[in-house]
Amino acid sequence: MEVRNRYVTLKHQLDEDQEPKESDFELKDSIISLEASTKSSSNNNNYVLVQNLYVSIDPYQINRMKKQSSSHKAINFSFALSPGQVIDAYGVGRVVASTNPGFEKDDLVAGLVGWEDYSLVQGEFMLSFLRKIDNTTELPLSHQVGILGLSGLTAYGGFYNVGRPKKGDKVFVSAASGSVGNLVGQYAKLLGCYVVGSAGTKQKVDMLKDKLGFDEAFNYKEESDLTSTLQKYFPDGIDIYFDNVGSETLEAAVSNMNMFGRVVACGVISEYTDGKKRAAPNMIDVIYKRITIQGFLTPDHMKDFAEFTTVTSDYLKHGKMHALEDISVGIESIPSAFVGIFRGKNIGKKMVQIVEN
Amino acid sequence: MEVRNRYVTLKHQLDEDQEPKESDFELKDSIISLEASTKSSSNNNNYVLVQNLYVSIDPYQINRMKKQSSSHKAINFSFALSPGQVIDAYGVGRVVASTNPGFEKDDLVAGLVGWEDYSLVQGEFMLSFLRKIDNTTELPLSHQVGILGLSGLTAYGGFYNVGRPKKGDKVFVSAASGSVGNLVGQYAKLLGCYVVGSAGTKQKVDMLKDKLGFDEAFNYKEESDLTSTLQKYFPDGIDIYFDNVGSETLEAAVSNMNMFGRVVACGVISEYTDGKKRAAPNMIDVIYKRITIQGFLTPDHMKDFAEFTTVTSDYLKHGKMHALEDISVGIESIPSAFVGIFRGKNIGKKMVQIVEN
């Protein structure tokens, strides 16, 4: 069996401080031949061929696309991407063929696939990320990519495990209309926290307040002094700052934090494409207010995946949470979808639907 | 009863980015009258009058001497010092008079006293810090100010509770010949860690290696690229960085840290007198390597005081730890002792002996 496979790849690695452009990517063609690949592979006969339906578009991918500096080479789990290579990414698809006893044809699955039509998932490591999706759920399949997928787990694990929140905590979320931020705000509201979000357009700000029930939200582009802005929205200080952007927002949050405040360092999108924008939080504040700044990655919280999906599905079914999705259609839209994230174009979870399901 | 009391005080508050000078201080005179103060005070008859023998000289005091910015006003437990006021500080003394049932004349005590000849310790809060010193110990009284006092507890609580070390961890300590740093290195060696310290003179570096058994030590003033320097001394990365200095040293440590590394934020002496020297650690490293940067203050670890003194006294009696003390004599030497800390003049715990004991 063979399938023709189109995939999005890098033309060249990106410079350290470069914003991505559509022309950095190209769409290529290959043939996936099950016979050839199982013969050549040490994984022998253990594979699942998936036709991808939705693939996730995430800002962290840019860190894999850059020329690797010596410091980043040390981060060896953030597998660097080479030009020409398939870009692996989280997604949802339908099984076309399988020799693995855990999967059969037509199963719906979620896992690490790629920015491509078909993904041949092989090897214990990659197969360990693949899981069957319950066909009977009334929730849209796209939810499995965002709110019930890795973005959801990022928000859940980061907020609960790293943020260690309690009812009444004052929570600030940046990039609050993004794939992770909007969920952190929703979890925080459901726990009984006071929640303020920052975003980059009036439309996003309104949506946070009107649709997601944030207590307050503001457009950071309209604020000249973020420290004063946060002082206004947090007269009693910030207990948890869920950081998706870094730089001056992180600095302003630290200077407004309460004793024993927690900074959940999830992402620093403003620093990904501008190394000069590094945050310099006041360490005197960090010491005297006993602040903890803690980085985390989603795989650290895989042990909570079952709990997270149960809780979150339940919230969704009872209308207590909203899934914000921003879906482009067609594999050729992947480069513009990815580039758009760095320009604040998306509202909620950005994904690309490869084919109709 | 009255005593004549000389005390060191500020002439004026310091500017944000000013190094302290001897001329910022003056020696003043007052009379402590027990009759007058017990009559006027709401604390009534509950006081201990202490003749101070040794007082502690600590860099953190500078943060209390500065004009308070709005951000620092928020740190309300770091009681700001006003010109003319007695500067309270940790120290050791002998009870001259007491109405408190816990203390009697000639008891040796340690606690919050002041940069002065005599301290009248009154009020439940201040009295709660006062404790009797075991007269029978063969250890010098000065040890109670440093290695067995708050400097010791800072090293012990910070290293064990915040750093969460285990045998074999790679530990980097800055200002490693300072009052806290030298003890952190010694605790780390006793636990079986690999320990490297930085200091500012050849004499200090030699002392760390030859006398305290650090695995390595270097003079940061002779290094042009601290990131490469640390890479050389830590080919397997840093697990714990005990930060006493901040700025570029913190940045270099973060870029050399291992997965799940811990930065114990104890002090940032290089930032106390130069706000422009703020550290901008690479947040991408913090996230991908799941680094925790955690500030702490010594009083957070008071619950471990008994354990800490037992363990540390035992190490001292068995020659497993060394007390490094740098003692100036006479109350009038307090300003130069304090100023000297910011110029790297001290080796080990800086203190002033007010009178012979």
Side-chain angles (χ1 to χ4, degrees):
Chain A
M1 183 184 176
E2 311 188 323
V3 290
R4 175 173 169 254
N5 184 42
R6 294 171 302 161
Y7 63 99
V8 172
T9 187
L10 278 174
K11 275 194 213 159
H12 41 251
Q13 285 176 322
L14 307 185
D15 288 329
E16 184 71 35
D17 286 349
Q18 188 190 320
E19 265 206 24
K21 306 179 300 295
E22 289 186 48
S23 60
D24 294 327
F25 299 90
E26 61 187 334
L27 194 61
K28 284 198 161 180
D29 245 274
S30 69
I31 300 290
I32 297 180
S33 158
L34 292 181
E35 276 201 349
S37 69
T38 53
K39 262 184 206 157
S40 68
S41 154
S42 61
N43 300 305
N44 298 325
N45 236 0
N46 190 5
Y47 66 80
V48 180
L49 180 66
V50 178
Q51 180 178 26
N52 296 320
L53 303 173
Y54 294 94
V55 294
S56 182
I57 309 293
D58 300 289
Y60 77 83
Q61 298 276 18
I62 197 170
N63 297 318
R64 311 174 60 201
M65 297 174 181
K66 292 177 193 169
K67 291 184 183 119
Q68 302 294 297
S69 68
S70 62
S71 129
H72 288 116
K73 265 183 205 141
I75 306 175
N76 52 15
F77 57 92
S78 162
F79 304 107
L81 290 167
S82 300
Q85 186 188 336
V86 169
I87 295 168
D88 54 275
Y90 196 72
V92 161
R94 180 177 281 115
V95 173
V96 176
S98 166
T99 59
N100 184 292
F103 301 92
E104 54 188 60
K105 192 168 179 310
D106 293 331
D107 278 350
L108 289 171
V109 291
L112 270 185
V113 290
W115 287 356
E116 57 185 345
D117 289 324
Y118 292 90
S119 296
L120 187 63
V121 184
Q122 272 181 308
E124 259 185 71
F125 180 76
M126 296 302 274
L127 283 166
S128 74
F129 285 100
L130 205 68
R131 62 187 175 81
K132 266 162 82 164
I133 295 169
D134 180 5
N135 266 314
T136 62
T137 170
E138 67 266 44
L139 298 169
L141 193 57
S142 57
H143 284 18
Q144 300 292 335
V145 182
I147 191 167
L148 295 172
L150 290 194
S151 304
L153 182 62
T154 305
Y156 191 88
F159 179 62
Y160 286 106
N161 297 342
V162 184
R164 303 186 308 278
K166 49 186 194 309
K167 192 178 167 180
D169 272 354
K170 320 286 182 291
V171 178
F172 173 48
V173 188
S174 57
S177 74
S179 59
V180 174
N182 89 83
L183 301 176
V184 171
Q186 293 189 69
Y187 285 129
K189 282 308 301 172
L190 285 162
L191 184 65
C193 297
Y194 169 79
V195 182
V196 179
S198 64
T201 67
K202 182 176 186 308
Q203 185 198 2
K204 291 175 178 178
V205 166
D206 291 345
M207 190 270 309
L208 293 173
K209 290 193 287 191
D210 301 342
K211 186 164 175 186
L212 301 188
F214 279 51
D215 295 286
E216 295 286 351
F218 64 88
N219 181 347
Y220 70 90
K221 290 179 181 164
E222 288 179 353
E223 303 294 331
S224 56
D225 175 359
L226 283 173
T227 301
S228 307
T229 303
L230 288 178
Q231 212 157 23
K232 190 175 74 188
Y233 286 110
F234 291 96
D236 301 320
I238 299 169
D239 296 304
I240 298 175
Y241 169 43
F242 197 100
D243 189 14
N244 292 306
V245 306
S247 64
E248 64 269 32
T249 311
L250 173 54
E251 295 171 13
V254 163
S255 65
N256 278 284
M257 288 202 91
N258 287 331
M259 295 295 156
F260 299 100
R262 285 84 72 200
V263 174
V264 183
C266 176
V268 287
I269 195 169
S270 73
E271 302 184 28
Y272 292 161
T273 55
D274 186 353
K276 283 181 288 298
K277 277 187 112 176
R278 275 208 201 163
N282 188 340
M283 288 301 295
I284 298 178
D285 278 334
V286 170
I287 294 168
Y288 278 84
K289 299 196 287 194
R290 290 86 138 191
I291 293 169
T292 301
I293 301 174
Q294 189 174 350
F296 79 103
L297 292 180
T298 315
D300 305 344
H301 304 286
M302 273 298 177
K303 63 181 190 324
D304 296 322
F305 198 86
E307 173 191 295
F308 144 71
T309 46
T310 306
V311 168
T312 309
S313 302
D314 201 60
Y315 281 148
L316 281 166
K317 288 173 191 163
H318 293 87
K320 292 185 177 171
M321 282 185 86
H322 297 277
L324 289 185
E325 296 176 345
D326 189 327
I327 306 179
S328 302
V329 177
I331 193 171
E332 58 290 333
S333 70
I334 287 178
S336 67
F338 181 67
V339 165
I341 283 185
F342 295 91
R343 296 174 186 166
K345 294 247 167 102
N346 60 308
I347 298 192
K349 178 64 197 172
K350 186 71 208 176
M351 63 184 89
V352 170
Q353 184 175 28
I354 309 264
V355 286
E356 293 277 342
N357 52 305
Chain B
M1 182 185 175
E2 318 187 317
V3 290
R4 175 173 168 254
N5 185 41
R6 293 171 304 162
Y7 63 99
V8 172
T9 187
L10 277 173
K11 274 191 210 161
H12 41 250
Q13 284 175 325
L14 307 185
D15 288 329
E16 183 71 34
D17 286 348
Q18 190 191 317
E19 265 206 24
K21 306 180 298 296
E22 290 187 47
S23 60
D24 295 326
F25 299 90
E26 59 187 333
L27 194 63
K28 284 197 159 182
D29 245 275
S30 70
I31 299 290
I32 298 180
S33 158
L34 291 181
E35 275 200 350
S37 69
T38 53
K39 263 183 203 156
S40 67
S41 153
S42 61
N43 300 307
N44 298 324
N45 237 359
N46 191 4
Y47 66 79
V48 180
L49 180 66
V50 178
Q51 179 176 28
N52 296 319
L53 302 174
Y54 294 94
V55 294
S56 181
I57 309 292
D58 300 289
Y60 77 84
Q61 298 275 19
I62 198 171
N63 297 318
R64 311 173 62 200
M65 296 175 181
K66 292 177 193 170
K67 290 182 184 122
Q68 301 295 298
S69 68
S70 62
S71 129
H72 288 116
K73 266 182 204 143
I75 305 175
N76 53 14
F77 57 92
S78 163
F79 305 109
L81 291 167
S82 300
Q85 186 187 334
V86 169
I87 295 168
D88 53 277
Y90 196 73
V92 160
R94 180 176 281 115
V95 174
V96 175
S98 167
T99 60
N100 184 292
F103 301 91
E104 53 189 60
K105 190 166 179 313
D106 292 330
D107 278 350
L108 288 173
V109 292
L112 269 183
V113 289
W115 287 355
E116 57 186 345
D117 290 323
Y118 293 90
S119 296
L120 187 64
V121 184
Q122 273 182 309
E124 258 185 72
F125 180 77
M126 295 302 275
L127 283 166
S128 74
F129 285 99
L130 206 66
R131 62 186 175 81
K132 265 163 83 163
I133 295 169
D134 180 6
N135 265 316
T136 62
T137 170
E138 67 266 46
L139 298 169
L141 192 58
S142 57
H143 284 17
Q144 301 292 335
V145 182
I147 191 167
L148 294 172
L150 290 193
S151 303
L153 182 63
T154 305
Y156 191 88
F159 179 61
Y160 287 106
N161 297 341
V162 184
R164 303 186 308 279
K166 49 186 193 312
K167 191 178 167 179
D169 272 355
K170 319 287 182 291
V171 177
F172 173 48
V173 187
S174 57
S177 73
S179 59
V180 174
N182 88 84
L183 300 176
V184 171
Q186 293 189 69
Y187 286 129
K189 281 308 301 171
L190 285 163
L191 184 65
C193 299
Y194 168 79
V195 182
V196 179
S198 64
T201 66
K202 182 175 186 310
Q203 185 199 2
K204 291 175 179 177
V205 166
D206 290 345
M207 190 270 309
L208 293 173
K209 290 194 287 190
D210 301 342
K211 184 162 177 187
L212 301 187
F214 280 50
D215 295 285
E216 295 285 351
F218 64 88
N219 182 348
Y220 71 91
K221 290 180 180 164
E222 287 178 355
E223 303 294 330
S224 56
D225 175 359
L226 282 173
T227 301
S228 307
T229 302
L230 289 178
Q231 214 158 21
K232 189 174 75 188
Y233 287 110
F234 290 96
D236 300 321
I238 299 169
D239 297 304
I240 297 175
Y241 169 43
F242 197 100
D243 188 16
N244 292 307
V245 306
S247 64
E248 65 269 31
T249 311
L250 173 54
E251 296 172 12
V254 163
S255 65
N256 277 286
M257 288 202 90
N258 287 333
M259 298 292 158
F260 300 100
R262 287 84 71 199
V263 173
V264 182
C266 176
V268 287
I269 195 168
S270 73
E271 302 185 28
Y272 292 162
T273 54
D274 185 353
K276 282 182 288 298
K277 277 188 113 178
R278 274 206 202 167
N282 189 339
M283 288 301 295
I284 298 178
D285 278 335
V286 170
I287 295 168
Y288 278 84
K289 299 197 286 193
R290 291 85 138 192
I291 293 169
T292 300
I293 301 174
Q294 189 174 348
F296 79 101
L297 291 178
T298 315
D300 305 345
H301 304 286
M302 274 298 177
K303 63 181 189 325
D304 296 322
F305 197 86
E307 173 190 296
F308 144 71
T309 45
T310 305
V311 168
T312 308
S313 301
D314 202 58
Y315 281 147
L316 280 166
K317 286 172 192 163
H318 293 86
K320 292 185 175 171
M321 282 185 85
H322 296 278
L324 289 184
E325 296 177 345
D326 189 328
I327 306 178
S328 303
V329 177
I331 193 170
E332 60 288 334
S333 69
I334 287 178
S336 67
F338 181 67
V339 165
I341 283 185
F342 295 90
R343 297 173 186 168
K345 294 248 169 102
N346 60 308
I347 297 192
K349 178 65 197 172
K350 187 71 210 178
M351 63 183 89
V352 170
Q353 183 176 27
I354 309 263
V355 289
E356 293 279 340
N357 50 304

